[in-house]
Amino acid sequence: MQPIHFGLFISLTALLLIPGCSDLRSESISEKRPPVIVTAGVPVEDSISDYVEYTGRIDAVETVEIRARVTGFLTNVWFSGKQGTEENSAEGTEVKAGAPLYQIDDREYKADLQAAEGELAIAMAQLEKATGDLKRAVALKDKGSISLEEYERNDTAKKQADANVLAAQAKRDRARLNVEFSSIAAPISGKISRTEITAGNLIKADNTLLTTIVSVDPINVYFNLDERTLLVVHKLMREGKVKGAKGKHADDREVFSVELGLATDEGYPKQGYIDFLDNHVDPATGTVRVRGVFANPEFQPQRREMTPGMFAHVRVPLGEPHSALLVAERAVGTDQGRKFVYVVNDKNEVVDRTVILGPVHNGLRVIAEGLKSGERVIIDGLQRVRPGAEVNAKPADMNSRPGSSVAKAISETAGDPDTAESAKTPGKPPAQ
């Protein structure tokens, strides 16, 4: 019987202790936790311009493939070699329009020219004789001393002589052109590639590629503008919010500015203008081809920053500058595609604000809608708070480095171990 009495005693004791445990738990829950430390700052107000950004490729304004127009053996390459002279350039350097590049053996073509000039001389002599015969025939005809048939024969001979002279002149001109085509010069100024053919090889007319030349200043940048942005630009133009600048073209038509940055550039330091918009939208991509023109000056002799084929970042301004609110990128949270910021109200409570984001400007994110000037936005500590929670908001600058303001806030509250421990460890409640 003793085991039964002992078990009953334990059960009664437990029942007597339950109210005490409940009171202890209630007393512990009722203790108020200290507010979580966060950093908050007011949005930066700045005058900005709206932009759309694209990727593009740099291309030459002019590109020429150098090919021979006559067939023959190549005798000289005037620009080959690693170093050029005052008269001739080297491979991979810039050449001026008219600079000699190649020489094809022209002895055969010079002989053809001499033969053509001889044929022209014979034709001229025949024309001179036919002209004299016709003059005499006209005089005899007026006196009635020559038959009509004889007169017509002399007139026909004169016309044939005229035609022979024209044919001989054309043959001579063609032979002269072949001689000129034997010497190949640069048709444009620009940077020349390496030679594809060396001296001693047979060149076929209009077939053999010798080298290429690309112009270097100015230079083009091609990029694809999406259909929606194109419609927005047209709407702004109708409303007079986008205006072009004049003086870039000979016809004085308006052009629109565009900015460019290379892979090593910070931002978009190069200024240019748009001079071409394609005549249709590509239905496969929903974009239209756009071309911008930029200056590409020498920074050293034979050295320019932009080269055809380079990758480029392109930015097109939309509309006039306007005032905007900007916050640090880390102050913006994401909830299933919804963008939000946490605002601290007058009661030091967290308020959830859905926002619409704009572009990045000077390292800060533009808030297009959802935020008012002067409101305190939580910068550091978003992961430790929820809407409605009370926080201890420490002032911070929107341009401060991530984590620096949090560390400063923790050091300021080092006298309160529980609060400091809570701030250092996100999600960890203060010690009870």
Side-chain angles (χ1 to χ4, degrees):
M1 297 297 292
Q2 288 181 351
I4 295 175
H5 293 298
F6 181 75
L8 181 61
F9 174 77
I10 295 298
S11 299
L12 292 173
T13 305
L15 290 173
L16 293 173
L17 292 176
I18 287 176
C21 292
S22 177
D23 293 340
L24 291 174
R25 187 181 301 108
S26 300
E27 184 178 346
S28 176
I29 294 175
S30 63
E31 291 182 2
K32 186 178 180 181
R33 295 181 180 180
V36 176
I37 295 178
V38 297
T39 61
V42 296
V44 176
E45 297 185 35
D46 197 359
S47 178
I48 66 168
S49 295
D50 293 329
Y51 295 92
V52 286
E53 299 177 357
Y54 299 96
T55 57
R57 286 288 175 184
I58 297 174
D59 197 8
V61 175
E62 296 178 292
T63 301
V64 179
E65 291 184 343
I66 306 299
R67 298 178 186 272
R69 300 185 63 177
V70 293
T71 299
F73 284 93
L74 190 64
T75 58
N76 285 299
V77 180
W78 298 116
F79 70 98
S80 62
K82 295 183 179 180
Q83 293 184 349
T85 63
E86 294 183 359
E87 295 81 10
N88 304 317
S89 298
E91 294 174 311
T93 61
E94 295 182 20
V95 296
K96 299 293 185 181
L101 302 178
Y102 295 93
Q103 179 62 51
I104 297 174
D105 188 357
D106 60 354
R107 291 174 295 178
E108 180 180 353
Y109 297 111
K110 286 182 177 180
D112 292 341
L113 176 59
Q114 291 180 348
E117 289 176 342
E119 292 180 5
L120 177 60
I122 294 174
M124 293 293 292
Q126 292 175 347
L127 175 61
E128 185 177 358
K129 179 179 182 302
T131 302
D133 291 343
L134 181 59
K135 286 182 179 180
R136 287 188 291 273
V138 170
L140 293 174
K141 178 185 174 184
D142 294 340
K143 295 179 180 180
S145 302
I146 190 174
S147 65
L148 181 60
E149 181 182 2
E150 185 68 20
Y151 168 77
E152 291 178 348
R153 187 182 299 112
N154 285 277
D155 184 62
T156 301
K158 168 65 168 57
K159 292 178 180 179
Q160 289 178 343
D162 286 335
N164 290 336
V165 170
L166 291 176
Q169 287 176 339
K171 189 174 182 180
R172 178 206 59 188
D173 293 342
R174 185 179 182 86
R176 183 176 294 167
L177 283 175
N178 287 337
V179 173
E180 294 177 359
F181 292 156
S182 299
S183 299
I184 303 173
I188 63 171
S189 297
K191 192 171 185 178
I192 194 167
S193 181
R194 70 181 182 90
T195 180
E196 301 289 341
I197 301 295
T198 56
N201 287 282
L202 178 64
I203 305 300
K204 294 184 178 180
D206 305 324
N207 187 19
T208 306
L209 176 64
L210 302 177
T211 188
T212 57
I213 300 177
V214 295
S215 60
V216 291
D217 187 24
I219 203 159
N220 290 334
V221 175
Y222 286 92
F223 59 97
N224 293 325
L225 188 71
D226 61 279
E227 181 179 347
R228 184 181 183 279
T229 301
L230 180 63
L231 294 174
V232 170
V233 171
H234 287 169
K235 180 176 181 294
L236 293 174
M237 291 174 65
R238 290 194 301 269
E239 296 174 352
K241 297 179 180 179
V242 174
K243 297 181 180 180
K246 293 186 176 182
K248 298 291 186 180
H249 288 279
D251 56 6
D252 202 32
R253 73 175 186 268
E254 288 187 346
V255 295
F256 298 92
S257 61
V258 61
E259 301 173 359
L260 179 143
L262 299 177
T264 57
D265 287 334
E266 293 185 4
Y268 302 83
K270 299 172 179 59
Q271 305 294 320
Y273 63 93
I274 295 174
D275 78 329
F276 167 76
L277 185 70
D278 210 348
N279 59 359
H280 72 284
V281 175
D282 187 348
T285 61
T287 59
V288 61
R289 194 73 163 166
V290 181
R291 180 177 68 205
V293 181
F294 293 83
N296 188 30
E298 286 184 322
F299 62 88
Q300 289 180 359
Q302 297 283 336
R303 296 288 186 272
R304 300 179 189 270
E305 190 170 11
M306 290 183 282
T307 301
M310 278 185 173
F311 168 84
H313 300 281
V314 180
R315 186 171 72 174
V316 180
L318 299 178
E320 299 296 328
H322 60 89
S323 179
L325 299 178
L326 302 94
V327 301
E329 193 78 52
R330 64 185 186 278
V332 180
T334 303
D335 181 14
Q336 296 182 352
R338 181 180 71 93
K339 300 296 182 180
F340 67 90
V341 297
Y342 283 157
V343 175
V344 180
N345 61 15
D346 295 336
K347 298 180 180 180
N348 288 328
E349 295 176 343
V350 178
V351 179
D352 186 330
R353 288 285 181 81
T354 300
V355 295
I356 297 178
L357 303 183
V360 175
H361 178 74
N362 292 335
L364 299 178
R365 174 66 68 173
V366 175
I367 303 298
E369 294 181 16
L371 196 61
K372 297 179 181 179
S373 176
E375 292 186 310
R376 292 184 296 167
V377 178
I378 295 179
I379 304 173
D380 296 301
L382 268 73
Q383 71 277 14
R384 301 195 299 274
V385 298
R386 292 293 180 267
E390 185 179 353
V391 295
N392 182 6
K394 300 295 182 179
D397 188 353
M398 283 294 174
N399 292 300
S400 61
R401 292 180 298 140
S404 59
S405 48
V406 174
K408 181 179 179 181
I410 293 174
S411 64
E412 290 176 353
T413 57
D416 187 347
D418 293 338
T419 305
E421 181 65 24
S422 174
K424 291 178 183 178
T425 309
K428 180 179 178 181
Q432 300 298 328

